[in-house]
Amino acid sequence: MLQVYDTEITSRLFLGTAGYPSPAVLSDAVRASGTQIITVSLRRETAGGKAGGAFFELIRGLGTKILPNTAGCHTTKEAVLTAKMAREVFKTNWIKLEVIGNQDTLQPDVFALVEAARILSNEGFEVFPYTTDDLVVAERLVEAGCRVLMPWCAPIGSAMGPQNLSALRSMRAHFPDVTLIVDAGIGRPSHATTVMELGFDAVLLNTAVAGAGNPAVMASGFAKAVEAGRLAFEAGMLEPRDMAVPSTPVIGKAVFS
Amino acid sequence: MQPVAIKGAGVVGLVTAYELARRGIEVEIVERAERIGAGASWFAGGMLAPWCEREGADEKVERVGATAIEWWQAALPDKVAQEGTLVVAAPRDTRELDRFSTRTTGYRWLDADEIAALEPDLAGRFSRALFFPKEAHLDPREALSSLHDTLVAMGARFHFGQTRDPTLDLHVSWCIDCTGHARLPDDAALRGVRGEMLYLRTGDIRLSRPVRFLHPRHPIYVVPRRERVFMVGATMIESELSGPIAARSLMELLNAAYALHPAFGEAQITETGTGIRPAYPDNLPRITRSGSIYSLNGMYRHGFLLSPALAHDVAELLLNPDHGSEFYDEP
């Protein structure tokens, strides 16, 4: 069981809803993943009154909890405004906070992010900030009121997988009591397993599933990979060593040669 | 058979009218606007590209769409160019080409020399490309206008500027609703997907065929038209808002066009446009029936590609209610 703010969930896989071939395929993928939390971008889909209405109805019909996000926002002001719009549209205090600082790398603007996180936390939002693996930024976000952090493991949509394992490890070690969800950069199930083995609480994916040849099958693959990584973490793993250790001792044979 | 009313003079309505008229059925075409093509089809790319579309579309789109090329060639012999489609990507995005190739068939790989031979103005810009030789394209506005003229010559009657229910005024047996996104309020399963496009005019570059420029975030296509004009499209936004093109979309389309060839940076923007594509959750079209009204809708981005098959099916259904159609949702 994982606690995310005050909600308890069993699936440690969060799924994004952008870029699927069709809403029907999205719906199949969500079902196959067993996810209980999906993210929805509010930025461009809601350019006006009835905009996005039908799509949002489909999303609501999936029966999961919705985590709206501020994808595509570049300033604190934009992000705060979008978060407030999201609260109205989806009737939730949850907001996945993204403030993009670089259009090419989609790297977060961590300064604006901290500022927006503080404003939104003070207004009663439960903020899920998309951040880097920088520990000082992470500390500032926690000070600002975040009880969940969402570090990248590689740039959004890059599918590169974890680029800096030691940074992710030290993040886990520094924030044992904060819910840590790897967001962005996961390309394949083994990437998800790797970060779950490090003790991260959950993984958020979008492109890796939406862009797969068969999104529903990939979603089910990721569900198993996330679970495998989590079970390994809970069970305790062997540390690698540089010599062989026979798993079956051979009785009667000299130990040293 | 009594005359049949067709509501909507976009691509679906006109193609359906043609399929009925050539079976000897009298058609009355009723259109809310004062002219043909007042909806999304006026802003379409006009690519008959079933193999490329397979990248993100169901198998039906490829299989059924492949028959559309012959349909348009037969209906409008001088309006269809079958020059294939060229698919390229910027050097840093060549993996997008590999991904595209794993999702599609009906192409061959081209190297830099072959690209130059096919499209001389793109020489030296790309080292690899995918070429889909069987694909075709047409100018949607020319095609719709020709279809209108052909229909008039066949005896079809057009009623423009009509908002009244045609069955009240005309003595018709059946009504076929082809009104696209106008049906959004009446069909709960239907949603609108906004598409934005623009026209560029420049004499500095010539293309003979549609070029798709892959990009992980902003894939675009450029379709050559007559008179040094190029259609650049199109965004895909989950929105039913029909207002003017958004600044961000315009920037993205122009950026991508410029990256395809810098000559587009010197071009004139002669028009921008927005269309609302009606779509069902699986992004596949449906034929539905309620009493004596058939409805053809949910063409998504495949109006020119799929309307011939749907029009054929609905025409056969009118003549024989037991006719099967893989797009027919029986009541």
Side-chain angles (χ1 to χ4, degrees):
Chain A
M1 198 72 94
L2 168 64
Q3 185 156 341
V4 183
Y5 283 100
D6 295 323
T7 300
E8 289 199 334
I9 53 168
T10 49
S11 167
R12 291 171 181 270
L13 174 58
F14 294 23
L15 215 54
T17 55
Y20 289 80
S22 72
V25 174
L26 162 64
S27 161
D28 290 346
V30 166
R31 263 194 299 275
S33 72
T35 187
Q36 291 162 299
I37 298 177
I38 56 174
T39 63
V40 183
S41 157
L42 204 76
R43 175 80 194 142
R44 301 191 51 174
E45 281 85 345
T46 50
K50 59 176 179 175
F55 184 69
F56 287 165
E57 281 307 312
L58 285 163
I59 296 282
R60 286 194 193 97
L62 294 174
T64 64
K65 211 166 155 56
I66 292 174
L67 172 58
N69 71 44
T70 63
C73 290
H74 288 74
T75 63
T76 304
K77 194 177 162 191
E78 255 186 308
V80 168
L81 207 66
T82 307
K84 289 178 179 173
M85 264 167 66
R87 179 151 70 177
E88 292 305 309
V89 173
F90 293 108
K91 311 288 176 221
T92 174
N93 283 334
W94 282 14
I95 188 72
K96 188 190 150 204
L97 185 60
E98 280 187 43
V99 189
I100 298 302
N102 182 299
Q103 191 52 37
D104 195 48
T105 61
L106 299 183
Q107 191 155 355
D109 176 340
V110 294
F111 304 97
L113 180 72
V114 171
E115 195 189 343
R118 184 169 293 120
I119 295 169
L120 291 171
S121 296
N122 287 341
E123 295 200 16
F125 280 91
E126 296 183 323
V127 180
F128 296 63
Y130 160 63
T131 181
T132 64
D133 51 26
D134 188 285
L135 295 181
V136 180
V137 172
E139 257 166 35
R140 294 290 151 84
L141 287 167
V142 172
E143 278 167 24
C146 299
R147 284 186 281 147
V148 171
L149 296 175
M150 303 185 95
W152 68 357
C153 76
I156 295 177
S158 69
M160 289 196 287
Q163 293 299 291
N164 191 344
L165 282 177
S166 60
L168 291 176
R169 251 187 223 109
S170 62
M171 192 161 199
R172 181 69 284 180
H174 270 76
F175 299 98
D177 302 322
V178 175
T179 303
L180 296 182
I181 302 169
V182 169
D183 173 13
I186 301 272
R188 46 188 67 194
S190 55
H191 297 155
T193 307
T194 301
V195 298
M196 291 304 292
E197 283 173 358
L198 297 180
F200 279 79
D201 294 290
V203 163
L204 192 157
L205 303 167
N206 189 344
T207 319
V209 168
N214 185 330
V217 173
M218 187 59 88
S220 129
F222 266 110
K224 293 187 162 85
V226 166
E227 198 188 349
R230 180 65 194 179
L231 288 174
F233 173 73
E234 286 174 0
M237 285 158 286
L238 295 184
E239 289 308 315
R241 51 192 303 167
D242 61 2
M243 62 174 283
V245 180
S247 51
T248 316
V250 180
I251 293 166
K253 209 168 176 196
V255 174
F256 301 102
S257 55
Chain B
M1 191 173 202
Q2 272 188 299
V4 172
I6 292 174
K7 280 175 80 177
V11 65
V12 182
L14 297 180
V15 169
T16 303
Y18 184 83
E19 280 295 301
L20 297 189
R22 71 178 193 157
R23 284 171 174 76
I25 302 170
E26 269 184 74
V27 288
E28 308 273 356
I29 300 146
V30 184
E31 166 60 46
R32 190 169 60 170
E34 296 294 341
R35 59 172 183 86
I36 56 161
S41 40
W42 202 247
F43 301 104
M47 294 182 295
L48 302 172
W51 292 278
C52 278
E53 285 300 303
R54 183 71 178 98
E55 179 220 0
D58 192 88
E59 160 279 327
K60 281 182 192 172
V61 173
E62 177 183 325
R63 176 166 46 80
V64 173
T67 64
I69 297 171
E70 277 177 35
W71 189 94
W72 286 104
Q73 283 169 334
L76 308 173
D78 54 341
K79 301 291 181 197
V80 182
Q82 194 166 18
E83 300 287 345
T85 303
L86 193 65
V87 184
V88 296
R92 62 181 285 189
D93 298 323
T94 52
R95 282 190 179 182
E96 291 296 312
L97 271 182
D98 296 317
R99 191 186 56 80
F100 200 93
S101 74
T102 64
R103 303 287 159 78
T104 52
T105 57
Y107 60 81
R108 63 172 192 266
W109 284 99
L110 302 186
D111 63 20
D113 292 342
E114 292 166 311
I115 297 168
L118 213 56
E119 292 290 1
D121 283 353
L122 295 181
R125 299 193 60 75
F126 303 99
S127 56
R128 286 197 308 158
L130 291 167
F131 181 50
F132 294 77
K134 288 178 287 183
E135 295 191 336
H137 67 284
L138 48 74
D139 179 332
R141 297 177 183 185
E142 276 186 9
L144 296 178
S145 302
S146 302
L147 216 44
H148 167 266
D149 298 346
T150 306
L151 281 163
V152 170
M154 292 166 94
R157 285 180 294 275
F158 281 83
H159 309 268
F160 289 106
Q162 300 290 317
T163 47
R164 263 171 74 82
D165 182 346
T167 53
L168 300 177
D169 304 319
L170 304 164
H171 296 284
V172 294
S173 50
W174 292 90
C175 177
I176 304 178
D177 187 307
C178 306
T179 54
H181 79 265
R183 259 185 70 76
L184 284 172
D186 307 316
D187 188 342
L190 207 57
R191 73 187 203 285
V193 181
R194 178 178 157 101
E196 299 152 308
M197 52 74 80
L198 57 99
Y199 275 106
L200 293 177
R201 184 163 60 216
T202 172
D204 295 347
I205 174 172
R206 286 178 64 92
L207 295 174
S208 302
R209 55 186 57 74
V211 177
R212 290 185 183 227
F213 185 61
L214 303 183
H215 183 278
R217 277 179 259 159
H218 316 299
I220 62 150
Y221 50 79
V222 176
V223 189
R225 302 269 198 256
R226 284 185 215 283
E227 309 284 325
R228 299 174 290 129
V229 170
F230 299 85
M231 184 271 192
V232 182
T235 55
M236 301 274 286
I237 302 171
E238 290 288 347
S239 167
E240 279 140 34
L241 198 76
S242 59
I245 190 167
R248 185 197 299 247
S249 302
L250 188 60
M251 282 193 297
E252 287 166 359
L253 292 172
L254 287 174
N255 257 333
Y258 182 73
L260 175 64
H261 199 292
F264 288 120
E266 306 299 319
Q268 295 173 318
I269 303 172
T270 57
E271 185 186 334
T272 62
T274 302
I276 303 300
R277 315 172 183 98
Y280 288 110
D282 56 5
N283 290 346
L284 288 171
R286 289 181 194 169
I287 300 171
T288 53
R289 184 170 72 84
S290 164
S292 60
I293 301 174
Y294 278 103
S295 175
L296 274 62
N297 215 320
M299 292 291 164
Y300 186 49
R301 49 185 271 164
H302 303 125
F304 282 82
L305 198 57
L306 299 184
S307 50
L310 271 87
H312 169 271
D313 285 358
V314 84
E316 293 298 321
L317 277 165
L318 283 183
L319 296 171
N320 169 18
D322 296 327
H323 180 83
S325 165
E326 59 183 316
F327 297 105
Y328 187 29
D329 241 15
E330 290 193 45

